[in-house]
Amino acid sequence: MVNLFHIRASVVLALAALGISSCQSNTATLPIYGQREPVEKIVDGKTITDTLYHTIPAFKFLNQDSIYITDKNYDNKVYIANFFFTHCPSICPTMNRNLLKVYEQYKDSDQVYFLSHSIDFKYDQPHVLKEYAHKLGVSNDHWNFVTGSKADIYGIANQYLVYTAEDKNAPGGYDHQGYLVLIDKQKRIRGAYDGTNDEQVAKLQKELAILLQEK
Amino acid sequence: MTKIYFLAILVSIYFLSAMSSCQSGEDIKTAQYAVNGQKIYINHCKNCHGEKGEGLGLLYPPLTDVDFLTKNRERLSCIIRNGLNEEITVAGKTFHTIMPANETLTDIDIAYVLTYITTNFGKQDKIFSLEEVQQDLINCK
């Protein structure tokens, strides 16, 4: 495990170094997060080693219009994902207030989409999510607010590397992290930003622009 | 006669200065309440109502509507202590999101935070004294 961590740390460092050096030539790239493993492939008769990156797996959730949203909706699209619940009294208002800023910047563009998962699988039915989206100021279908079974939602949270849990001692009954997770066109995690921190949100806006430059 | 006249001027200067220093003492107290209130605001209110009291869409009302703050001044302590679950109109928009109760806030905390809100966002200069808050809390419905 330690070894694996070392390998990952050095890969991250190498990528960071790459980022710094490439910064000078104005072609910065974002790191790729999560577990990775080498795979051997045969290309043109030669065996080469490629890297298999962690990707967001297939999913299917009901959105605020009671339409099923799947991973297919995000094929070849950059999107930002987060986890919240509508009557969350703690970090969610600030997190979604900040995500709304990014949404307003990109809502008319086909380049960036938004996906908020409710972790309150009991209360946040589609009509509740619909009202929330409307009151927040979301005016088109580029930002989905989705609900699903507890296993599916909490399971996908793990895939986004975001901690979520039902906890009766937490404000509102659920405990979770306020990360805004940046996903690229190949469904790889390219950044995670604390949605309650203004500097982190500014960093997200900057790095999102970098990601959009990628082919 | 001149003496008496002179004395009268001195006495009135004394009273005038006493009045004005009393005023500035009150200003200092208001400022102290507002500073204490800011800390409470950040911990208990900012998430929903925003750093500048701007609210959020139609979810959470702004705290900058002077008209609402003035007309509902006597209710504000109760709203903070017990929360609110009714339709209200603020700054021309209708809101109906359940506001949670803040039972951990003491009477003086409420005086601090209301002084902060009304003097900073509501552009008023009158302090919410502890006595005013306690009187309003007795009358909570």
PDB file of all heavy atoms in Angstrom, chain A residues 49-84:
ATOM      1  N   THR A  49       3.063  -0.614 -22.949  1.00  0.00           N
ATOM      2  CA  THR A  49       2.350  -0.479 -21.687  1.00  0.00           C
ATOM      3  C   THR A  49       1.599   0.843 -21.671  1.00  0.00           C
ATOM      4  O   THR A  49       2.174   1.898 -21.900  1.00  0.00           O
ATOM      5  CB  THR A  49       3.335  -0.528 -20.504  1.00  0.00           C
ATOM      6  OG1 THR A  49       4.117  -1.710 -20.638  1.00  0.00           O
ATOM      7  CG2 THR A  49       2.598  -0.551 -19.180  1.00  0.00           C
ATOM      8  N   ASP A  50       0.299   0.718 -21.456  1.00  0.00           N
ATOM      9  CA  ASP A  50      -0.538   1.911 -21.392  1.00  0.00           C
ATOM     10  C   ASP A  50      -1.072   2.040 -19.962  1.00  0.00           C
ATOM     11  O   ASP A  50      -0.994   1.099 -19.177  1.00  0.00           O
ATOM     12  CB  ASP A  50      -1.694   1.781 -22.399  1.00  0.00           C
ATOM     13  CG  ASP A  50      -2.293   3.147 -22.739  1.00  0.00           C
ATOM     14  OD1 ASP A  50      -1.790   4.155 -22.199  1.00  0.00           O
ATOM     15  OD2 ASP A  50      -3.254   3.189 -23.527  1.00  0.00           O
ATOM     16  N   THR A  51      -1.613   3.196 -19.634  1.00  0.00           N
ATOM     17  CA  THR A  51      -2.151   3.391 -18.287  1.00  0.00           C
ATOM     18  C   THR A  51      -3.673   3.434 -18.347  1.00  0.00           C
ATOM     19  O   THR A  51      -4.251   4.136 -19.173  1.00  0.00           O
ATOM     20  CB  THR A  51      -1.635   4.712 -17.685  1.00  0.00           C
ATOM     21  OG1 THR A  51      -0.227   4.749 -17.840  1.00  0.00           O
ATOM     22  CG2 THR A  51      -1.984   4.813 -16.227  1.00  0.00           C
ATOM     23  N   LEU A  52      -4.283   2.638 -17.448  1.00  0.00           N
ATOM     24  CA  LEU A  52      -5.733   2.638 -17.357  1.00  0.00           C
ATOM     25  C   LEU A  52      -6.108   3.550 -16.197  1.00  0.00           C
ATOM     26  O   LEU A  52      -5.732   3.286 -15.049  1.00  0.00           O
ATOM     27  CB  LEU A  52      -6.210   1.202 -17.107  1.00  0.00           C
ATOM     28  CG  LEU A  52      -7.623   0.860 -17.519  1.00  0.00           C
ATOM     29  CD1 LEU A  52      -7.816   1.069 -19.023  1.00  0.00           C
ATOM     30  CD2 LEU A  52      -7.916  -0.594 -17.163  1.00  0.00           C
ATOM     31  N   TYR A  53      -6.817   4.643 -16.471  1.00  0.00           N
ATOM     32  CA  TYR A  53      -7.147   5.605 -15.431  1.00  0.00           C
ATOM     33  C   TYR A  53      -8.497   5.290 -14.805  1.00  0.00           C
ATOM     34  O   TYR A  53      -9.337   4.634 -15.406  1.00  0.00           O
ATOM     35  CB  TYR A  53      -7.173   7.018 -16.003  1.00  0.00           C
ATOM     36  CG  TYR A  53      -5.816   7.499 -16.436  1.00  0.00           C
ATOM     37  CD1 TYR A  53      -5.443   7.469 -17.777  1.00  0.00           C
ATOM     38  CD2 TYR A  53      -4.905   7.961 -15.493  1.00  0.00           C
ATOM     39  CE1 TYR A  53      -4.189   7.902 -18.169  1.00  0.00           C
ATOM     40  CE2 TYR A  53      -3.647   8.399 -15.877  1.00  0.00           C
ATOM     41  CZ  TYR A  53      -3.296   8.371 -17.223  1.00  0.00           C
ATOM     42  OH  TYR A  53      -2.068   8.794 -17.608  1.00  0.00           O
ATOM     43  N   HIS A  54      -8.666   5.824 -13.594  1.00  0.00           N
ATOM     44  CA  HIS A  54      -9.956   5.690 -12.924  1.00  0.00           C
ATOM     45  C   HIS A  54     -10.988   6.547 -13.668  1.00  0.00           C
ATOM     46  O   HIS A  54     -10.738   7.713 -13.953  1.00  0.00           O
ATOM     47  CB  HIS A  54      -9.841   6.174 -11.477  1.00  0.00           C
ATOM     48  CG  HIS A  54     -11.151   6.294 -10.766  1.00  0.00           C
ATOM     49  ND1 HIS A  54     -11.867   5.189 -10.351  1.00  0.00           N
ATOM     50  CD2 HIS A  54     -11.895   7.383 -10.416  1.00  0.00           C
ATOM     51  CE1 HIS A  54     -12.986   5.599  -9.773  1.00  0.00           C
ATOM     52  NE2 HIS A  54     -13.023   6.915  -9.798  1.00  0.00           N
ATOM     53  N   THR A  55     -12.122   5.937 -13.999  1.00  0.00           N
ATOM     54  CA  THR A  55     -13.197   6.700 -14.654  1.00  0.00           C
ATOM     55  C   THR A  55     -14.504   6.521 -13.875  1.00  0.00           C
ATOM     56  O   THR A  55     -14.660   5.555 -13.131  1.00  0.00           O
ATOM     57  CB  THR A  55     -13.435   6.235 -16.105  1.00  0.00           C
ATOM     58  OG1 THR A  55     -13.693   4.828 -16.083  1.00  0.00           O
ATOM     59  CG2 THR A  55     -12.243   6.522 -17.000  1.00  0.00           C
ATOM     60  N   ILE A  56     -15.403   7.467 -14.060  1.00  0.00           N
ATOM     61  CA  ILE A  56     -16.724   7.354 -13.429  1.00  0.00           C
ATOM     62  C   ILE A  56     -17.484   6.248 -14.168  1.00  0.00           C
ATOM     63  O   ILE A  56     -17.644   6.309 -15.388  1.00  0.00           O
ATOM     64  CB  ILE A  56     -17.495   8.686 -13.528  1.00  0.00           C
ATOM     65  CG1 ILE A  56     -16.701   9.849 -12.918  1.00  0.00           C
ATOM     66  CG2 ILE A  56     -18.868   8.573 -12.878  1.00  0.00           C
ATOM     67  CD1 ILE A  56     -16.301   9.685 -11.467  1.00  0.00           C
ATOM     68  N   PRO A  57     -17.953   5.227 -13.440  1.00  0.00           N
ATOM     69  CA  PRO A  57     -18.643   4.112 -14.107  1.00  0.00           C
ATOM     70  C   PRO A  57     -20.062   4.485 -14.551  1.00  0.00           C
ATOM     71  O   PRO A  57     -20.528   5.588 -14.282  1.00  0.00           O
ATOM     72  CB  PRO A  57     -18.675   3.039 -13.016  1.00  0.00           C
ATOM     73  CG  PRO A  57     -18.661   3.798 -11.744  1.00  0.00           C
ATOM     74  CD  PRO A  57     -17.869   5.051 -11.983  1.00  0.00           C
ATOM     75  N   ALA A  58     -20.721   3.545 -15.205  1.00  0.00           N
ATOM     76  CA  ALA A  58     -22.094   3.771 -15.680  1.00  0.00           C
ATOM     77  C   ALA A  58     -23.016   4.084 -14.501  1.00  0.00           C
ATOM     78  O   ALA A  58     -22.853   3.552 -13.405  1.00  0.00           O
ATOM     79  CB  ALA A  58     -22.594   2.534 -16.422  1.00  0.00           C
ATOM     80  N   PHE A  59     -23.982   4.978 -14.740  1.00  0.00           N
ATOM     81  CA  PHE A  59     -24.988   5.280 -13.712  1.00  0.00           C
ATOM     82  C   PHE A  59     -26.316   5.615 -14.363  1.00  0.00           C
ATOM     83  O   PHE A  59     -26.381   5.864 -15.573  1.00  0.00           O
ATOM     84  CB  PHE A  59     -24.526   6.432 -12.813  1.00  0.00           C
ATOM     85  CG  PHE A  59     -24.239   7.728 -13.534  1.00  0.00           C
ATOM     86  CD1 PHE A  59     -25.269   8.587 -13.898  1.00  0.00           C
ATOM     87  CD2 PHE A  59     -22.934   8.100 -13.846  1.00  0.00           C
ATOM     88  CE1 PHE A  59     -25.010   9.781 -14.568  1.00  0.00           C
ATOM     89  CE2 PHE A  59     -22.664   9.305 -14.514  1.00  0.00           C
ATOM     90  CZ  PHE A  59     -23.705  10.141 -14.879  1.00  0.00           C
ATOM     91  N   LYS A  60     -27.356   5.599 -13.563  1.00  0.00           N
ATOM     92  CA  LYS A  60     -28.696   5.933 -14.037  1.00  0.00           C
ATOM     93  C   LYS A  60     -29.486   6.522 -12.875  1.00  0.00           C
ATOM     94  O   LYS A  60     -29.739   5.836 -11.871  1.00  0.00           O
ATOM     95  CB  LYS A  60     -29.384   4.663 -14.550  1.00  0.00           C
ATOM     96  CG  LYS A  60     -30.711   4.916 -15.234  1.00  0.00           C
ATOM     97  CD  LYS A  60     -31.339   3.584 -15.644  1.00  0.00           C
ATOM     98  CE  LYS A  60     -32.659   3.793 -16.343  1.00  0.00           C
ATOM     99  NZ  LYS A  60     -33.354   2.503 -16.591  1.00  0.00           N
ATOM    100  N   PHE A  61     -29.804   7.813 -12.974  1.00  0.00           N
ATOM    101  CA  PHE A  61     -30.529   8.498 -11.906  1.00  0.00           C
ATOM    102  C   PHE A  61     -31.697   9.284 -12.489  1.00  0.00           C
ATOM    103  O   PHE A  61     -31.696   9.648 -13.668  1.00  0.00           O
ATOM    104  CB  PHE A  61     -29.599   9.474 -11.173  1.00  0.00           C
ATOM    105  CG  PHE A  61     -28.462   8.809 -10.451  1.00  0.00           C
ATOM    106  CD1 PHE A  61     -27.141   9.102 -10.798  1.00  0.00           C
ATOM    107  CD2 PHE A  61     -28.694   7.899  -9.433  1.00  0.00           C
ATOM    108  CE1 PHE A  61     -26.080   8.499 -10.132  1.00  0.00           C
ATOM    109  CE2 PHE A  61     -27.642   7.286  -8.764  1.00  0.00           C
ATOM    110  CZ  PHE A  61     -26.334   7.588  -9.123  1.00  0.00           C
ATOM    111  N   LEU A  62     -32.665   9.564 -11.609  1.00  0.00           N
ATOM    112  CA  LEU A  62     -33.841  10.334 -12.013  1.00  0.00           C
ATOM    113  C   LEU A  62     -33.564  11.824 -11.748  1.00  0.00           C
ATOM    114  O   LEU A  62     -33.141  12.182 -10.650  1.00  0.00           O
ATOM    115  CB  LEU A  62     -35.026   9.864 -11.169  1.00  0.00           C
ATOM    116  CG  LEU A  62     -36.440   9.912 -11.732  1.00  0.00           C
ATOM    117  CD1 LEU A  62     -36.522   9.251 -13.099  1.00  0.00           C
ATOM    118  CD2 LEU A  62     -37.401   9.240 -10.754  1.00  0.00           C
ATOM    119  N   ASN A  63     -33.820  12.672 -12.743  1.00  0.00           N
ATOM    120  CA  ASN A  63     -33.529  14.102 -12.521  1.00  0.00           C
ATOM    121  C   ASN A  63     -34.773  14.891 -12.114  1.00  0.00           C
ATOM    122  O   ASN A  63     -35.844  14.312 -11.889  1.00  0.00           O
ATOM    123  CB  ASN A  63     -32.835  14.716 -13.754  1.00  0.00           C
ATOM    124  CG  ASN A  63     -33.814  15.083 -14.859  1.00  0.00           C
ATOM    125  OD1 ASN A  63     -34.996  14.740 -14.812  1.00  0.00           O
ATOM    126  ND2 ASN A  63     -33.324  15.786 -15.865  1.00  0.00           N
ATOM    127  N   GLN A  64     -34.633  16.218 -12.052  1.00  0.00           N
ATOM    128  CA  GLN A  64     -35.717  17.077 -11.546  1.00  0.00           C
ATOM    129  C   GLN A  64     -36.931  17.101 -12.459  1.00  0.00           C
ATOM    130  O   GLN A  64     -37.991  17.556 -12.052  1.00  0.00           O
ATOM    131  CB  GLN A  64     -35.198  18.503 -11.279  1.00  0.00           C
ATOM    132  CG  GLN A  64     -34.869  19.345 -12.507  1.00  0.00           C
ATOM    133  CD  GLN A  64     -33.409  19.264 -12.915  1.00  0.00           C
ATOM    134  OE1 GLN A  64     -32.776  18.220 -12.797  1.00  0.00           O
ATOM    135  NE2 GLN A  64     -32.847  20.360 -13.412  1.00  0.00           N
ATOM    136  N   ASP A  65     -36.780  16.623 -13.689  1.00  0.00           N
ATOM    137  CA  ASP A  65     -37.923  16.524 -14.598  1.00  0.00           C
ATOM    138  C   ASP A  65     -38.433  15.089 -14.691  1.00  0.00           C
ATOM    139  O   ASP A  65     -39.146  14.741 -15.637  1.00  0.00           O
ATOM    140  CB  ASP A  65     -37.528  17.035 -15.982  1.00  0.00           C
ATOM    141  CG  ASP A  65     -37.245  18.534 -15.956  1.00  0.00           C
ATOM    142  OD1 ASP A  65     -38.059  19.265 -15.370  1.00  0.00           O
ATOM    143  OD2 ASP A  65     -36.200  18.957 -16.478  1.00  0.00           O
ATOM    144  N   SER A  66     -38.023  14.259 -13.729  1.00  0.00           N
ATOM    145  CA  SER A  66     -38.392  12.836 -13.712  1.00  0.00           C
ATOM    146  C   SER A  66     -37.934  12.103 -14.974  1.00  0.00           C
ATOM    147  O   SER A  66     -38.615  11.199 -15.454  1.00  0.00           O
ATOM    148  CB  SER A  66     -39.905  12.650 -13.527  1.00  0.00           C
ATOM    149  OG  SER A  66     -40.296  13.160 -12.283  1.00  0.00           O
ATOM    150  N   ILE A  67     -36.834  12.516 -15.510  1.00  0.00           N
ATOM    151  CA  ILE A  67     -36.244  11.854 -16.679  1.00  0.00           C
ATOM    152  C   ILE A  67     -34.998  11.117 -16.207  1.00  0.00           C
ATOM    153  O   ILE A  67     -34.245  11.643 -15.374  1.00  0.00           O
ATOM    154  CB  ILE A  67     -35.870  12.896 -17.761  1.00  0.00           C
ATOM    155  CG1 ILE A  67     -37.128  13.567 -18.315  1.00  0.00           C
ATOM    156  CG2 ILE A  67     -35.042  12.268 -18.879  1.00  0.00           C
ATOM    157  CD1 ILE A  67     -36.841  14.801 -19.138  1.00  0.00           C
ATOM    158  N   TYR A  68     -34.798   9.901 -16.727  1.00  0.00           N
ATOM    159  CA  TYR A  68     -33.593   9.185 -16.346  1.00  0.00           C
ATOM    160  C   TYR A  68     -32.373   9.800 -17.020  1.00  0.00           C
ATOM    161  O   TYR A  68     -32.353  10.007 -18.235  1.00  0.00           O
ATOM    162  CB  TYR A  68     -33.691   7.700 -16.706  1.00  0.00           C
ATOM    163  CG  TYR A  68     -34.425   6.912 -15.662  1.00  0.00           C
ATOM    164  CD1 TYR A  68     -35.659   6.318 -15.927  1.00  0.00           C
ATOM    165  CD2 TYR A  68     -33.876   6.765 -14.386  1.00  0.00           C
ATOM    166  CE1 TYR A  68     -36.343   5.611 -14.948  1.00  0.00           C
ATOM    167  CE2 TYR A  68     -34.552   6.061 -13.394  1.00  0.00           C
ATOM    168  CZ  TYR A  68     -35.774   5.496 -13.683  1.00  0.00           C
ATOM    169  OH  TYR A  68     -36.438   4.796 -12.716  1.00  0.00           O
ATOM    170  N   ILE A  69     -31.374  10.093 -16.206  1.00  0.00           N
ATOM    171  CA  ILE A  69     -30.102  10.641 -16.679  1.00  0.00           C
ATOM    172  C   ILE A  69     -29.061   9.532 -16.507  1.00  0.00           C
ATOM    173  O   ILE A  69     -28.978   8.930 -15.438  1.00  0.00           O
ATOM    174  CB  ILE A  69     -29.718  11.869 -15.819  1.00  0.00           C
ATOM    175  CG1 ILE A  69     -30.716  13.000 -16.017  1.00  0.00           C
ATOM    176  CG2 ILE A  69     -28.300  12.337 -16.117  1.00  0.00           C
ATOM    177  CD1 ILE A  69     -30.784  13.539 -17.420  1.00  0.00           C
ATOM    178  N   THR A  70     -28.312   9.267 -17.547  1.00  0.00           N
ATOM    179  CA  THR A  70     -27.279   8.240 -17.417  1.00  0.00           C
ATOM    180  C   THR A  70     -25.918   8.819 -17.781  1.00  0.00           C
ATOM    181  O   THR A  70     -25.822   9.980 -18.217  1.00  0.00           O
ATOM    182  CB  THR A  70     -27.549   7.029 -18.337  1.00  0.00           C
ATOM    183  OG1 THR A  70     -27.262   7.421 -19.689  1.00  0.00           O
ATOM    184  CG2 THR A  70     -28.982   6.541 -18.242  1.00  0.00           C
ATOM    185  N   ASP A  71     -24.902   7.989 -17.624  1.00  0.00           N
ATOM    186  CA  ASP A  71     -23.543   8.405 -17.998  1.00  0.00           C
ATOM    187  C   ASP A  71     -23.483   8.795 -19.481  1.00  0.00           C
ATOM    188  O   ASP A  71     -22.672   9.629 -19.874  1.00  0.00           O
ATOM    189  CB  ASP A  71     -22.555   7.285 -17.693  1.00  0.00           C
ATOM    190  CG  ASP A  71     -23.031   5.946 -18.238  1.00  0.00           C
ATOM    191  OD1 ASP A  71     -24.111   5.493 -17.828  1.00  0.00           O
ATOM    192  OD2 ASP A  71     -22.329   5.374 -19.096  1.00  0.00           O
ATOM    193  N   LYS A  72     -24.386   8.202 -20.280  1.00  0.00           N
ATOM    194  CA  LYS A  72     -24.408   8.499 -21.722  1.00  0.00           C
ATOM    195  C   LYS A  72     -24.679   9.984 -21.989  1.00  0.00           C
ATOM    196  O   LYS A  72     -24.194  10.541 -22.962  1.00  0.00           O
ATOM    197  CB  LYS A  72     -25.489   7.670 -22.422  1.00  0.00           C
ATOM    198  CG  LYS A  72     -25.249   6.167 -22.350  1.00  0.00           C
ATOM    199  CD  LYS A  72     -24.316   5.693 -23.452  1.00  0.00           C
ATOM    200  CE  LYS A  72     -24.041   4.191 -23.341  1.00  0.00           C
ATOM    201  NZ  LYS A  72     -23.164   3.857 -22.192  1.00  0.00           N
ATOM    202  N   ASN A  73     -25.482  10.609 -21.078  1.00  0.00           N
ATOM    203  CA  ASN A  73     -25.756  12.042 -21.234  1.00  0.00           C
ATOM    204  C   ASN A  73     -24.482  12.884 -21.151  1.00  0.00           C
ATOM    205  O   ASN A  73     -24.466  14.033 -21.581  1.00  0.00           O
ATOM    206  CB  ASN A  73     -26.725  12.535 -20.150  1.00  0.00           C
ATOM    207  CG  ASN A  73     -28.111  11.956 -20.307  1.00  0.00           C
ATOM    208  OD1 ASN A  73     -28.320  10.787 -19.996  1.00  0.00           O
ATOM    209  ND2 ASN A  73     -29.044  12.743 -20.799  1.00  0.00           N
ATOM    210  N   TYR A  74     -23.447  12.291 -20.566  1.00  0.00           N
ATOM    211  CA  TYR A  74     -22.210  13.050 -20.352  1.00  0.00           C
ATOM    212  C   TYR A  74     -21.071  12.558 -21.228  1.00  0.00           C
ATOM    213  O   TYR A  74     -19.928  12.953 -21.029  1.00  0.00           O
ATOM    214  CB  TYR A  74     -21.827  13.011 -18.861  1.00  0.00           C
ATOM    215  CG  TYR A  74     -22.865  13.718 -18.025  1.00  0.00           C
ATOM    216  CD1 TYR A  74     -23.954  13.016 -17.483  1.00  0.00           C
ATOM    217  CD2 TYR A  74     -22.804  15.092 -17.836  1.00  0.00           C
ATOM    218  CE1 TYR A  74     -24.934  13.674 -16.760  1.00  0.00           C
ATOM    219  CE2 TYR A  74     -23.781  15.756 -17.113  1.00  0.00           C
ATOM    220  CZ  TYR A  74     -24.841  15.039 -16.574  1.00  0.00           C
ATOM    221  OH  TYR A  74     -25.806  15.704 -15.875  1.00  0.00           O
ATOM    222  N   ASP A  75     -21.397  11.688 -22.193  1.00  0.00           N
ATOM    223  CA  ASP A  75     -20.368  11.212 -23.115  1.00  0.00           C
ATOM    224  C   ASP A  75     -19.757  12.399 -23.846  1.00  0.00           C
ATOM    225  O   ASP A  75     -20.481  13.247 -24.385  1.00  0.00           O
ATOM    226  CB  ASP A  75     -20.976  10.235 -24.147  1.00  0.00           C
ATOM    227  CG  ASP A  75     -21.117   8.840 -23.576  1.00  0.00           C
ATOM    228  OD1 ASP A  75     -20.603   8.600 -22.464  1.00  0.00           O
ATOM    229  OD2 ASP A  75     -21.756   7.987 -24.236  1.00  0.00           O
ATOM    230  N   ASN A  76     -18.435  12.419 -23.836  1.00  0.00           N
ATOM    231  CA  ASN A  76     -17.717  13.467 -24.566  1.00  0.00           C
ATOM    232  C   ASN A  76     -18.058  14.886 -24.085  1.00  0.00           C
ATOM    233  O   ASN A  76     -18.034  15.835 -24.856  1.00  0.00           O
ATOM    234  CB  ASN A  76     -18.021  13.332 -26.069  1.00  0.00           C
ATOM    235  CG  ASN A  76     -16.780  13.619 -26.891  1.00  0.00           C
ATOM    236  OD1 ASN A  76     -15.663  13.661 -26.348  1.00  0.00           O
ATOM    237  ND2 ASN A  76     -16.959  13.826 -28.175  1.00  0.00           N
ATOM    238  N   LYS A  77     -18.386  14.988 -22.775  1.00  0.00           N
ATOM    239  CA  LYS A  77     -18.687  16.308 -22.214  1.00  0.00           C
ATOM    240  C   LYS A  77     -17.889  16.545 -20.932  1.00  0.00           C
ATOM    241  O   LYS A  77     -17.655  15.610 -20.172  1.00  0.00           O
ATOM    242  CB  LYS A  77     -20.175  16.419 -21.893  1.00  0.00           C
ATOM    243  CG  LYS A  77     -21.002  16.730 -23.118  1.00  0.00           C
ATOM    244  CD  LYS A  77     -22.471  16.622 -22.846  1.00  0.00           C
ATOM    245  CE  LYS A  77     -23.255  16.846 -24.133  1.00  0.00           C
ATOM    246  NZ  LYS A  77     -24.562  16.239 -24.103  1.00  0.00           N
ATOM    247  N   VAL A  78     -17.531  17.774 -20.704  1.00  0.00           N
ATOM    248  CA  VAL A  78     -16.920  18.161 -19.435  1.00  0.00           C
ATOM    249  C   VAL A  78     -18.062  18.490 -18.474  1.00  0.00           C
ATOM    250  O   VAL A  78     -19.024  19.145 -18.862  1.00  0.00           O
ATOM    251  CB  VAL A  78     -16.015  19.398 -19.637  1.00  0.00           C
ATOM    252  CG1 VAL A  78     -15.625  20.016 -18.302  1.00  0.00           C
ATOM    253  CG2 VAL A  78     -14.775  19.020 -20.438  1.00  0.00           C
ATOM    254  N   TYR A  79     -17.968  17.962 -17.244  1.00  0.00           N
ATOM    255  CA  TYR A  79     -19.004  18.352 -16.279  1.00  0.00           C
ATOM    256  C   TYR A  79     -18.453  18.454 -14.869  1.00  0.00           C
ATOM    257  O   TYR A  79     -17.363  17.977 -14.568  1.00  0.00           O
ATOM    258  CB  TYR A  79     -20.210  17.412 -16.346  1.00  0.00           C
ATOM    259  CG  TYR A  79     -20.024  15.990 -15.859  1.00  0.00           C
ATOM    260  CD1 TYR A  79     -20.460  15.623 -14.579  1.00  0.00           C
ATOM    261  CD2 TYR A  79     -19.464  15.004 -16.672  1.00  0.00           C
ATOM    262  CE1 TYR A  79     -20.337  14.314 -14.129  1.00  0.00           C
ATOM    263  CE2 TYR A  79     -19.333  13.703 -16.219  1.00  0.00           C
ATOM    264  CZ  TYR A  79     -19.767  13.349 -14.950  1.00  0.00           C
ATOM    265  OH  TYR A  79     -19.641  12.063 -14.510  1.00  0.00           O
ATOM    266  N   ILE A  80     -19.256  19.140 -14.040  1.00  0.00           N
ATOM    267  CA  ILE A  80     -18.887  19.317 -12.636  1.00  0.00           C
ATOM    268  C   ILE A  80     -19.954  18.620 -11.798  1.00  0.00           C
ATOM    269  O   ILE A  80     -21.150  18.853 -11.979  1.00  0.00           O
ATOM    270  CB  ILE A  80     -18.813  20.809 -12.255  1.00  0.00           C
ATOM    271  CG1 ILE A  80     -17.763  21.507 -13.125  1.00  0.00           C
ATOM    272  CG2 ILE A  80     -18.468  20.975 -10.777  1.00  0.00           C
ATOM    273  CD1 ILE A  80     -17.837  23.024 -13.071  1.00  0.00           C
ATOM    274  N   ALA A  81     -19.503  17.740 -10.899  1.00  0.00           N
ATOM    275  CA  ALA A  81     -20.433  16.971 -10.072  1.00  0.00           C
ATOM    276  C   ALA A  81     -20.275  17.369  -8.608  1.00  0.00           C
ATOM    277  O   ALA A  81     -19.182  17.748  -8.166  1.00  0.00           O
ATOM    278  CB  ALA A  81     -20.164  15.480 -10.233  1.00  0.00           C
ATOM    279  N   ASN A  82     -21.389  17.298  -7.868  1.00  0.00           N
ATOM    280  CA  ASN A  82     -21.292  17.478  -6.413  1.00  0.00           C
ATOM    281  C   ASN A  82     -22.413  16.722  -5.708  1.00  0.00           C
ATOM    282  O   ASN A  82     -23.260  16.099  -6.365  1.00  0.00           O
ATOM    283  CB  ASN A  82     -21.270  18.967  -6.035  1.00  0.00           C
ATOM    284  CG  ASN A  82     -22.617  19.653  -6.159  1.00  0.00           C
ATOM    285  OD1 ASN A  82     -23.529  19.163  -6.811  1.00  0.00           O
ATOM    286  ND2 ASN A  82     -22.743  20.807  -5.525  1.00  0.00           N
ATOM    287  N   PHE A  83     -22.378  16.733  -4.390  1.00  0.00           N
ATOM    288  CA  PHE A  83     -23.338  16.008  -3.559  1.00  0.00           C
ATOM    289  C   PHE A  83     -23.916  16.976  -2.537  1.00  0.00           C
ATOM    290  O   PHE A  83     -23.190  17.723  -1.890  1.00  0.00           O
ATOM    291  CB  PHE A  83     -22.663  14.815  -2.880  1.00  0.00           C
ATOM    292  CG  PHE A  83     -22.257  13.779  -3.893  1.00  0.00           C
ATOM    293  CD1 PHE A  83     -21.058  13.917  -4.582  1.00  0.00           C
ATOM    294  CD2 PHE A  83     -23.090  12.728  -4.213  1.00  0.00           C
ATOM    295  CE1 PHE A  83     -20.701  13.006  -5.567  1.00  0.00           C
ATOM    296  CE2 PHE A  83     -22.746  11.813  -5.199  1.00  0.00           C
ATOM    297  CZ  PHE A  83     -21.546  11.950  -5.875  1.00  0.00           C
ATOM    298  N   PHE A  84     -25.260  16.960  -2.402  1.00  0.00           N
ATOM    299  CA  PHE A  84     -25.926  17.950  -1.556  1.00  0.00           C
ATOM    300  C   PHE A  84     -27.269  17.385  -1.128  1.00  0.00           C
ATOM    301  O   PHE A  84     -27.619  16.254  -1.477  1.00  0.00           O
ATOM    302  CB  PHE A  84     -26.125  19.257  -2.353  1.00  0.00           C
ATOM    303  CG  PHE A  84     -27.381  19.243  -3.196  1.00  0.00           C
ATOM    304  CD1 PHE A  84     -28.448  20.086  -2.912  1.00  0.00           C
ATOM    305  CD2 PHE A  84     -27.510  18.342  -4.246  1.00  0.00           C
ATOM    306  CE1 PHE A  84     -29.619  20.049  -3.665  1.00  0.00           C
ATOM    307  CE2 PHE A  84     -28.679  18.298  -5.011  1.00  0.00           C
ATOM    308  CZ  PHE A  84     -29.724  19.160  -4.715  1.00  0.00           C
TER     309      PHE A  84
END
